[in-house]
Amino acid sequence: MILNTELEYKGNLFPSHIISYEKNLDTLNFTTENGVILQITVQRDSVLRFRFTTTGIFENDFSYAITKYASRGYNHLEVEEEEDKYIIITSKLKCQVNKADLRTAIYDAQTNELICEDELGFHWEESYEFGGDIVKMSKVAQEGESYYGLGDKPADVNLKGKRFENWVTDSYAYGKYTDPIYKTIPFYTALHHKKAYGIFFDNTFRSYFDFCQERRNISSFWAQGGEMNYYFIYGPDMSEVVANYTDLTGKPHQLPPLWALGYHQCKWSYYPEAKVKEITNKFRELKIPCDAIYLDIDYMEGFRCFTWSKEYFPDPKRMVKELADDGFKTIVIIDPGIKIDKEYSVFKEGLDNDYFCKRADGPYMKGKVWPGECYFPDFTNPEVREWWSNLFQELIEEIGVKGVWNDMNEPAVMDVPGKSFPDDVRHDYEGNPCSHRKAHNIYGMQMARATYQGLKKFAYPKRPFVITRAAYSGTQRYTSSWTGDNVASWEHLSIANIQAQRMCMSGFSFIGSDIGGFAEQPNGELYARWIQLGIFHPFCRTHSSGDHGDQEPWTFGKNITDVVRKFIELRYELLPYLYTAFWRYAEEGIPILKSLVLYDQLDTHTHYRSDEFICGEKILACPILEPNAKGRRMYFPTGEWYNYWTDEIVEGGQELWVDADLDSMPIFIKSGALIPKYPVQQFVGEKEIEELKLDVYFKIGKETSEVYEDAHDGYDYIKGRYSLRNFSLTGKTTELVIQQHKSGKYTTPYDTFKLQLHGLPFKIKKVIIDKVEYSFKDIQLNGNNSFIINKDFTDLHIL
Ligand code: MIG
């Protein structure tokens, strides 16, 4: 689009020189002689919003992405005028606006280092076909600059040298570099000279990003309509950039119920009821933990949403209850296409109330999906969302379904060019009527939002659980997501790893892949390796299309079943750790998975690493991505790491071989960490937690850890009924000190911790708990490395 040829430049128009400037509190308007206005809003000291109009008038300011809870306010704002430029100064940034051409450059306010600078800057092309502009921006790539983010792109973690398109697309069996696929998250983080900034281009039209592909020293982004409207987010830490982006576009509105972090089993499709029971019984029989079972489209009557097949599921309420009694939460799929059928109440209501999308000249948007010819609710209309949310009453309140799975919401349409709606379809867009060109990328998001509203209402006082395939920035407020129709191949295992990391870096942490691959069938080895990766993903579900054979943990023989069980058990042990990571994400916008670059951006070795990642704050994991492997080489970020299986200590800052036969995988714990563990349960809540295990990894020096708990469901935690334990560990050659600070009003069901000490370099002689001295006979010391201690201690010395 932005091409470096004379010919292509012809259509481009540019702002001319500034003729007026006005400031209104946090908003500055710069108007050029040819009628362009640049509006800069200071959201925060480190977040600036840039909007441009070429007509002298801004459109109604509305965004589906930005949350009303976004933080606003700054410590400092002053504007200086020089002969050739204006300079906007906050406590973090200096933004220069050239008087001659409206180009901007942003500097670190403290160090004056250049962070981000326009090349051509804002320019545009008029769109004769649709009216309005094709809006464009180009920036100078700084020396050594790298780029990360952009949602679900199945490319390497570092995006440098690549160009991408954003147009939410149903992408069955996509491959490495297929673009675009299911999600549009037009946000990236850039890193150069140890400093990171982010750009969020909040434009829902089809958009593009070019990271030094077209020209090696230029990054650019553009969209086929709408406004040049982007947020500049300064770090300098990458995790700050991501946290600030997540603050803008929203954190999950509540924590998931803990069971949603358990293991989920899915297939297209488990039916009839007897088959579902056979699967769930087998989990219990083989003692493989599992919390959720999914019903794909075949549970419905002729694929009509909100109906049940009388033949396959004659008594859903009874079945769902029986499953629940056995610890299984039932999750059902709901697609957007509503079957054209005058006898079908959902269709009738939609028609009577005028809730379906229409074409430009008035006819309904008719398209073929699973039920045959369908109409599609306009989820961009708040009244339609309200109606949709109420359709869930029976499913949730009456029948007892615990979660809803939104699929095909790109929206996908069969057998048509573009696999979706044509451009002319009309949408309400919250009272800003527009065509599908503008609404396409947010359609699935608004469907998931409407579904979420329903679940929230009818699952109350329990927490809702929703999963969506399509998404735009901000969708993380309402729902979890999966990476769509992947393939059972080793390459796809690596793609799943990268996509999960990338989604986390794009503000959307509640993500996982179809474990084992959706299309085709994995062999046992691939399935086992995928489970090993999957247990570290925030969302952990096996799913497959089913037309190539079975894909349950026991499908591949006893050896594989044992490996799969071992790792799912590990996930259940780690539930308090994962829940704490989720809480940090929901609270502070800190991604649950951290690519190594996000973990340590100062170490340039991390900038192109894709395989290794940090889960939560303390666990370094690296999947085995090849067949027949006995281990692999991996990079250890700086610091000291304990091999999870052997307690052997590895010094970071180097690449090393790690043994990992099929029943193992490279897992390392940061030294100084306290890792909380629950006992293995077959499902969340099976057992009352009678003791919290704390694995303590000795370190010379200091380290802090935290453990967040609450009732694991419900909303009491919002009223303060949670338990947050902050631990600080200080290790010396002959002493280990652990201090605990506890906050929150929730009383955990257990009274004691079982401390398991790893790597303690001395023999324990005595223990001092809150100033009282115990010889090791007094405490229940087990060998040299494990003992029980009251959960309320504040100060522990081990000597
Ligand atoms: O056209 O509902 O990505 O997870 O099993 C296929 C059937 C529709 C696509 C989803 C997949 C789901 C399948 N769906």
Side-chain angles (χ1 to χ4, degrees):
M1 176 67 64
I2 295 186
L3 284 172
N4 191 15
T5 66
E6 284 296 309
L7 202 71
E8 292 294 327
Y9 266 100
K10 269 195 183 158
N12 283 338
L13 300 166
F14 292 84
S16 60
H17 64 274
I18 296 176
I19 51 166
S20 79
Y21 150 71
E22 79 200 29
K23 175 170 182 286
N24 188 354
L25 297 172
D26 58 359
T27 301
L28 317 166
N29 281 314
F30 302 92
T31 305
T32 66
E33 192 258 341
N34 61 348
V36 176
I37 305 175
L38 160 60
Q39 181 176 86
I40 299 180
T41 309
V42 181
Q43 286 267 139
R44 313 183 65 174
D45 288 299
S46 55
V47 182
L48 303 179
R49 178 181 180 196
F50 295 81
R51 282 180 89 183
F52 295 85
T53 172
T54 62
T55 62
I57 297 167
F58 283 103
E59 282 173 37
N60 183 30
D61 189 17
F62 171 75
S63 164
Y64 280 116
I66 306 294
T67 169
K68 63 180 180 204
Y69 304 111
S71 316
R72 271 189 92 146
Y74 45 83
N75 294 309
H76 181 84
L77 173 58
E78 93 194 68
V79 183
E80 284 174 5
E81 184 173 353
E82 289 182 9
E83 201 180 314
D84 56 345
K85 56 180 174 275
Y86 293 95
I87 308 174
I88 301 150
I89 305 167
T90 74
S91 69
K92 296 265 173 65
L93 295 172
K94 277 184 196 160
C95 173
Q96 197 172 288
V97 182
N98 287 352
K99 285 184 177 172
D101 52 15
L102 218 51
R103 286 186 308 135
T104 68
I106 299 175
Y107 298 81
D108 181 303
Q110 261 95 53
T111 65
N112 272 319
E113 282 166 282
L114 177 62
I115 303 302
C116 180
E117 168 193 24
D118 283 355
E119 185 234 0
L120 298 177
F122 172 61
H123 52 297
W124 74 98
E125 209 180 299
E126 287 185 343
S127 169
Y128 176 71
E129 206 184 343
F130 299 102
D133 302 321
I134 295 160
V135 291
K136 311 178 184 184
M137 171 60 67
S138 69
K139 303 210 174 257
V140 177
Q142 305 299 321
E143 187 200 347
E145 190 157 356
S146 294
Y147 304 90
Y148 307 90
L150 240 50
D152 63 348
K153 305 296 182 198
D156 309 289
V157 167
N158 192 334
L159 302 171
K160 187 163 196 171
K162 300 264 169 10
R163 168 180 286 200
F164 299 96
E165 180 178 339
N166 291 308
W167 187 255
V168 168
T169 305
D170 177 8
S171 311
Y172 175 77
Y174 60 95
K176 183 135 189 190
Y177 306 122
T178 301
D179 187 53
I181 58 169
Y182 302 93
K183 297 171 178 81
T184 288
I185 304 190
F187 162 67
Y188 69 87
T189 303
L191 172 64
H192 65 87
H193 300 96
K194 305 192 165 138
K195 298 201 156 49
Y197 68 88
I199 301 269
F200 171 40
F201 181 28
D202 188 10
N203 179 313
T204 60
F205 285 79
R206 192 187 292 263
S207 64
Y208 299 84
F209 286 77
D210 186 299
F211 300 110
C212 313
Q213 186 192 61
E214 182 183 300
R215 285 178 288 156
R216 290 182 61 179
N217 58 337
I218 303 299
S219 67
S220 55
F221 50 93
W222 62 99
Q224 289 187 338
E227 251 179 35
M228 176 49 63
N229 168 32
Y230 72 94
Y231 293 79
F232 174 89
I233 304 168
Y234 188 43
D237 287 346
M238 277 184 91
S239 58
E240 277 293 304
V241 174
V242 176
N244 273 325
Y245 162 78
T246 313
D247 181 81
L248 262 183
T249 57
K251 299 153 194 165
H253 280 167
Q254 63 279 301
L255 289 171
L258 185 63
W259 64 258
L261 299 186
Y263 174 72
H264 301 218
Q265 183 69 35
C266 187
K267 181 185 181 160
W268 179 17
S269 284
Y270 290 132
Y271 72 91
E273 176 179 339
K275 180 72 193 178
V276 176
K277 289 282 184 53
E278 183 192 316
I279 298 294
T280 54
N281 290 338
K282 193 96 179 177
F283 271 99
R284 298 301 180 239
E285 180 193 320
L286 295 175
K287 296 227 168 316
I288 299 168
C290 183
D291 261 282
I293 184 87
Y294 284 64
L295 302 181
D296 206 325
I297 48 178
D298 301 283
Y299 80 93
M300 297 182 250
E301 192 66 66
F303 307 117
R304 288 169 188 80
C305 292
F306 307 100
T307 68
W308 290 78
S309 155
K310 284 186 203 60
E311 186 188 345
Y312 301 142
F313 297 96
D315 189 356
K317 186 172 177 176
R318 177 191 42 75
M319 179 190 74
V320 168
K321 163 133 197 336
E322 285 165 7
L323 290 171
D325 290 344
D326 202 15
F328 286 94
K329 292 81 193 167
T330 304
I331 297 172
V332 301
I333 200 166
I334 291 284
D335 288 354
I338 299 300
K339 188 178 178 69
I340 300 178
D341 170 2
K342 297 239 159 64
E343 307 300 306
Y344 168 39
S345 68
V346 178
F347 174 75
K348 273 190 300 187
E349 283 177 29
L351 201 67
D352 290 349
N353 294 296
D354 203 13
Y355 288 158
F356 295 124
C357 294
K358 289 182 184 151
R359 305 292 300 267
D361 297 325
Y364 284 106
M365 165 57 218
K366 186 160 94 179
K368 201 180 124 206
V369 231
W370 290 107
E373 296 292 354
C374 287
Y375 291 166
F376 300 83
D378 183 11
F379 295 105
T380 71
N381 179 342
E383 196 185 320
V384 175
R385 287 200 302 274
E386 179 63 23
W387 165 68
W388 184 260
S389 74
N390 287 327
L391 294 173
F392 289 94
Q393 180 155 21
E394 191 191 358
L395 264 183
I396 309 299
E397 245 180 34
E398 260 296 296
I399 299 177
V401 164
K402 291 289 182 303
V404 172
W405 172 22
N406 281 166
D407 184 26
M408 307 289 278
N409 53 347
E410 290 70 28
V413 179
M414 292 168 173
D415 310 328
V416 294
K419 300 191 276 188
S420 191
F421 292 1
D423 282 348
D424 70 272
V425 170
R426 304 295 300 164
H427 295 275
D428 178 71
Y429 214 95
E430 298 327 90
N432 304 279
C434 68
S435 79
H436 197 62
R437 295 172 70 236
K438 182 173 173 179
H440 176 81
N441 279 331
I442 52 82
Y443 183 86
M445 173 196 195
Q446 294 311 304
M447 178 191 184
R449 176 187 183 183
T451 302
Y452 161 80
Q453 282 169 5
L455 272 275
K456 175 140 196 187
K457 223 178 314 192
F458 301 118
Y460 190 84
K462 303 282 190 200
R463 302 176 195 161
F465 176 74
V466 178
I467 172 165
T468 180
R469 192 168 71 174
Y472 181 73
S473 293
T475 310
Q476 71 272 6
R477 304 198 290 269
Y478 316 117
T479 166
S480 66
S481 187
W482 88 107
T483 57
D485 296 345
N486 58 4
V487 183
S489 70
W490 288 93
E491 185 175 50
H492 260 275
L493 176 56
S494 129
I495 292 174
N497 180 21
I498 290 170
Q499 285 182 305
Q501 293 179 45
R502 191 193 307 294
M503 285 295 285
C504 287
M505 257 198 276
S506 307
F508 203 136
S509 277
F510 204 178
I511 183 77
S513 66
D514 284 354
I515 293 175
F518 178 74
E520 301 178 23
Q521 196 190 26
N523 63 19
E525 185 188 9
L526 175 57
Y527 183 69
R529 291 303 194 190
W530 210 315
I531 279 280
Q532 292 171 355
L533 172 66
I535 66 145
F536 289 104
H537 285 171
F539 177 65
C540 179
R541 177 184 79 162
T542 292
H543 181 40
S544 73
S545 67
D547 45 5
H548 295 89
D550 292 342
Q551 204 157 303
E552 287 91 36
W554 52 84
T555 303
F556 309 97
K558 180 165 183 316
N559 283 351
I560 300 297
T561 308
D562 290 343
V563 176
V564 171
R565 181 191 300 105
K566 171 176 168 177
F567 280 87
I568 296 182
E569 286 184 350
L570 175 58
R571 182 171 180 100
Y572 276 73
E573 289 188 272
L574 288 173
L575 280 175
Y577 178 82
L578 295 167
Y579 197 55
T580 301
F582 207 110
W583 166 78
R584 278 212 86 194
Y585 162 58
E587 200 64 18
E588 292 162 44
I590 304 291
I592 297 177
L593 305 182
K594 299 160 188 77
S595 301
L596 289 197
V597 63
L598 195 131
Y599 181 74
D600 186 1
Q601 71 196 47
L602 302 182
D603 175 2
T604 47
H605 288 109
T606 66
H607 293 193
Y608 280 89
R609 285 277 162 183
S610 288
D611 292 357
E612 311 84 349
F613 62 91
I614 306 282
C615 172
E617 303 293 315
K618 312 287 184 189
I619 299 181
L620 167 65
C622 186
I624 299 286
L625 300 171
E626 285 175 4
N628 303 316
K630 300 263 171 235
R632 62 164 293 159
R633 291 186 71 82
M634 63 177 276
Y635 184 73
F636 291 82
T638 43
E640 210 181 56
W641 303 90
Y642 279 80
N643 185 316
Y644 178 76
W645 309 104
T646 64
D647 273 357
E648 190 191 328
I649 296 174
V650 176
E651 204 37 65
Q654 54 179 332
E655 198 181 87
L656 289 171
W657 172 269
V658 180
D659 288 331
D661 244 319
L662 189 53
D663 64 348
S664 182
M665 92 179 263
I667 303 173
F668 293 82
I669 311 290
K670 193 176 184 199
S671 78
L674 269 76
I675 307 286
K677 282 183 174 165
Y678 285 164
V680 172
Q681 307 175 72
Q682 296 310 302
F683 55 91
V684 166
E686 185 206 17
K687 297 180 180 161
E688 165 127 309
I689 309 299
E690 287 168 346
E691 193 164 74
L692 183 71
K693 188 174 175 205
L694 290 172
D695 274 318
V696 180
Y697 291 87
F698 181 84
K699 162 187 185 170
I700 298 280
K702 249 188 127 138
E703 189 77 22
T704 59
S705 302
E706 51 190 7
V707 181
Y708 172 87
E709 293 168 286
D710 59 22
H712 296 154
D713 205 336
Y715 296 90
D716 279 358
Y717 75 102
I718 290 169
K719 298 176 226 140
R721 253 165 254 129
Y722 61 85
S723 154
L724 177 61
R725 306 175 187 281
N726 290 293
F727 293 104
S728 97
L729 173 149
T730 313
K732 303 173 195 156
T733 36
T734 58
E735 188 181 4
L736 171 62
V737 183
I738 301 175
Q739 283 159 326
Q740 178 183 206
H741 174 80
K742 182 169 175 299
S743 55
K745 290 184 287 194
Y746 178 70
T747 309
T748 51
Y750 53 84
D751 293 321
T752 52
F753 298 138
K754 181 177 184 188
L755 294 190
Q756 183 81 42
L757 306 173
H758 299 258
L760 198 68
F762 55 85
K763 266 223 144 323
I764 301 179
K765 296 211 182 59
K766 63 178 173 195
V767 170
I768 305 170
I769 304 170
D770 295 326
K771 303 220 166 82
V772 182
E773 192 174 316
Y774 298 83
S775 79
F776 63 78
K777 273 166 273 148
D778 301 335
I779 52 174
Q780 301 170 44
L781 191 68
N782 179 6
N784 187 43
N785 52 20
S786 151
F787 63 89
I788 313 273
I789 179 171
N790 188 285
K791 69 172 175 182
D792 293 323
F793 84 86
T794 58
D795 187 52
L796 166 69
H797 293 251
I798 301 171
L799 298 140

